[in-house]
Amino acid sequence: YLVWVDITATGMTAQQYADHLLLRNHVWVNPGTMYGPQSGEGYIRLNIATQRSRLMEALERIVS
């Protein structure tokens, strides 16, 4: 129920992208660096263990 998303194409660090999603899109994700600075940079972790409607709403916010 945990998805690791490669965000390297954004040009942002994992923390910058996580902050961006929270502040701008109101979606809370974990920066990959939270789980190890070497392996987690360039990734965010998205928990999808929720209701389908909530997941769809969050994904739509991320895409926007």
Side-chain angles (χ1 to χ4, degrees):
Y1 297 95
L2 300 172
V3 177
W4 285 83
V5 181
D6 182 342
I7 53 119
T8 54
T10 68
M12 295 185 203
T13 67
Q15 186 63 59
Q16 288 171 332
Y17 197 70
D19 291 344
H20 170 81
L21 287 177
L22 182 59
L23 295 173
R24 187 160 188 205
N25 302 82
H26 307 287
V27 176
W28 187 2
V29 300
N30 298 112
T33 50
M34 184 176 191
Y35 305 96
Q38 290 81 15
S39 60
E41 190 56 71
Y43 293 89
I44 58 168
R45 190 186 81 163
L46 180 64
N47 187 333
I48 62 169
T50 188
Q51 300 161 329
R52 183 179 296 259
S53 60
R54 282 186 180 215
L55 178 59
M56 294 306 296
E57 180 182 344
L59 293 174
E60 288 173 7
R61 288 182 187 183
I62 290 172
V63 169
S64 71

